[in-house]
Amino acid sequence: LNSTVHQTKIEFEEAICIICDKNNTHPAGEVVWRGNTLQYCVCGNCGLKFMNPRPTRDWYRNFYINEFWEDKFANRSWRGKGMFELLWRLLKGGVSGRLSKGRKRALQVVPEILSRKSLTSASKVLDVGCAFGMILEEIKAKTNATVYGVEPNDSARAEAEKRVGVEFIGRTAEDLVAITGMDGTFDIIIFSNVLENIVDPRPVLQAARRLLNNDGLLYVDTPNVFYYDAMNPYHPYVYSPTSLSNLLSACDFEILESVFEPPTDRENEGLPFNCKRPRFVTAYSRKSTRVNRIVHKFDSETYRKSALLSLQRYARIKSRN
Ligand SMILES: [Zn+2]
């Protein structure tokens, strides 16, 4: 088994709540990664769960360009080593394992999106964090729309360009902020399994709003803290239906529909892994026709749960390093 070549040690920065611009937080668990303890907290004002301190945006950018997919392809879990990881590599490992996982997900997500927004060959679709272009491949096959992507990793980009003809307009989600001359371009913008990875999602979502046309659909799915509390080194945020709604509202989106699974008994027992059912909260939004006031809906469930969480044994998970 290869050992990973890791970049320089993690650079950290302090975070405050992106919804309230406040620093009034309570501890809500931690994970250990590469010898660093990454702590989570919940905002006492709105209930948003986030990592603080967190690796800087520049650090993450290099990580996504150079290491993220390499770790995934090798099935090097951040969680640890041992028999479980060895078995996992044998069963699900390598590029083909990852691609088939991506394809399976695309086959779930794309019919859901297309049932809410019909596309023609004149349509334009953007997938932010498109990886190997699996979702775009499926959309293109069904509608012949023109497909655009944002993706940091070179091998993922090359694969998506070659197989699907994805045109890239950025490396990381933050690059959307600087794009000019494409306002009102897209019929659908997708953030699938991506928003939780973005260090500063507000300017990114505001840029997405600008790039979306007036009838455009914003699709977001992200791990649901109530279903699967996805604390891990890649996730500066773990959203709930309420905190996702607060964020979209703060970025002048209007949620048309939000889909999520209620908490399960299994989750209440503190068993976050190996869930069989979908783990995501999904929101379909459009541009709000007026500029929203930010509505702070206090997320009392996340707040309550996080207080319990810090006492639970899975809050600290040893990394293989
Ligand atoms: Zn807050």
Side-chain angles (χ1 to χ4, degrees):
L1 298 172
N2 299 329
S3 64
T4 316
V5 179
H6 293 137
Q7 63 172 328
T8 51
K9 75 179 180 58
I10 303 176
E11 295 154 31
F12 286 95
E13 65 187 12
E14 294 290 321
I16 60 169
C17 178
I18 51 163
I19 303 289
C20 320
D21 289 331
K22 282 188 178 149
N23 188 10
N24 164 27
T25 58
H26 303 273
E30 63 190 39
V31 294
V32 177
W33 187 49
R34 300 184 179 180
N36 299 278
T37 300
L38 307 178
Q39 294 175 317
Y40 284 83
C41 62
V42 167
C43 174
N45 195 46
C46 75
L48 175 69
K49 180 162 186 170
F50 59 100
M51 191 193 285
N52 185 31
R54 65 178 175 219
T56 63
R57 199 175 68 185
D58 287 348
W59 191 90
Y60 270 125
R61 184 182 172 92
N62 286 326
F63 173 76
Y64 281 109
I65 289 172
N66 299 312
E67 295 180 46
F68 178 76
W69 280 112
E70 283 68 18
D71 274 0
K72 293 266 181 190
F73 277 156
N75 263 342
R76 282 190 288 260
S77 164
W78 66 272
R79 278 185 204 126
K81 60 185 171 190
M83 278 314 287
F84 177 79
E85 196 186 355
L86 287 174
L87 278 172
W88 187 252
R89 281 188 208 180
L90 287 171
L91 292 170
K92 307 265 186 182
V95 176
S96 64
R98 277 289 152 184
L99 293 184
S100 76
K101 196 174 170 185
R103 190 168 293 115
K104 197 174 157 192
R105 181 149 178 75
L107 293 174
Q108 289 172 341
V109 165
V110 171
E112 295 292 312
I113 296 174
L114 294 181
S115 74
R116 287 159 175 90
K117 175 81 183 166
S118 51
L119 298 178
T120 68
S121 59
S123 303
K124 292 177 176 173
V125 178
L126 171 64
D127 186 358
V128 181
C130 69
F132 301 85
M134 307 313 235
I135 286 176
L136 292 174
E137 181 175 36
E138 188 61 18
I139 288 178
K140 194 174 179 180
K142 290 277 191 298
T143 68
N144 211 23
T146 308
V147 293
Y148 298 80
V150 168
E151 167 58 41
N153 180 267
D154 283 332
S155 54
R157 288 166 71 104
E159 185 74 19
E161 265 169 0
K162 185 183 74 179
R163 235 197 23 251
V164 194
V166 174
E167 185 178 326
F168 284 95
I169 63 169
R171 279 266 169 191
T172 63
E174 286 85 356
D175 292 348
L176 294 184
V177 176
I179 289 175
T180 53
M182 294 190 86
D183 288 7
T185 294
F186 296 103
D187 297 278
I188 300 180
I189 299 182
I190 297 166
F191 290 77
S192 180
N193 223 344
V194 161
L195 200 67
E196 65 278 10
N197 304 66
I198 300 174
V199 169
D200 195 3
R202 272 181 76 164
V204 172
L205 285 170
Q206 281 156 351
R209 185 183 187 280
R210 185 168 55 74
L211 297 171
L212 205 58
N213 69 36
N214 285 336
D215 300 319
L217 181 74
L218 178 81
Y219 171 90
V220 175
D221 65 37
T222 183
N224 179 356
V225 71
F226 293 140
Y227 193 82
Y228 165 57
D229 195 341
M231 291 188 294
N232 79 39
Y234 320 134
H235 294 171
Y237 301 92
V238 191
Y239 293 104
S240 70
T242 301
S243 60
L244 180 61
S245 158
N246 282 345
L247 176 60
L248 289 168
S249 154
C251 298
D252 298 319
F253 282 101
E254 178 185 347
I255 295 185
L256 302 166
E257 189 183 348
S258 173
V259 184
F260 65 94
E261 301 267 352
T264 63
D265 289 344
R266 185 178 166 79
E267 193 191 35
N268 291 335
E269 287 161 14
L271 298 170
F273 303 121
N274 304 320
C275 297
K276 295 278 189 274
R277 295 194 297 150
R279 298 168 172 181
F280 299 93
V281 53
T282 301
Y284 300 89
S285 313
R286 67 177 174 205
K287 292 161 92 152
S288 177
T289 46
R290 56 191 168 71
V291 173
N292 286 346
R293 283 177 191 283
I294 299 173
V295 181
H296 296 138
K297 281 183 285 184
F298 181 62
D299 189 356
S300 58
E301 275 300 300
T302 303
Y303 190 79
R304 184 188 61 78
K305 188 170 183 259
S306 70
L308 297 173
L309 183 69
S310 55
L311 301 174
Q312 289 173 359
R313 65 183 165 79
Y314 73 78
R316 177 182 284 272
I317 301 158
K318 294 287 182 200
S319 98
R320 65 200 158 86
N321 299 325

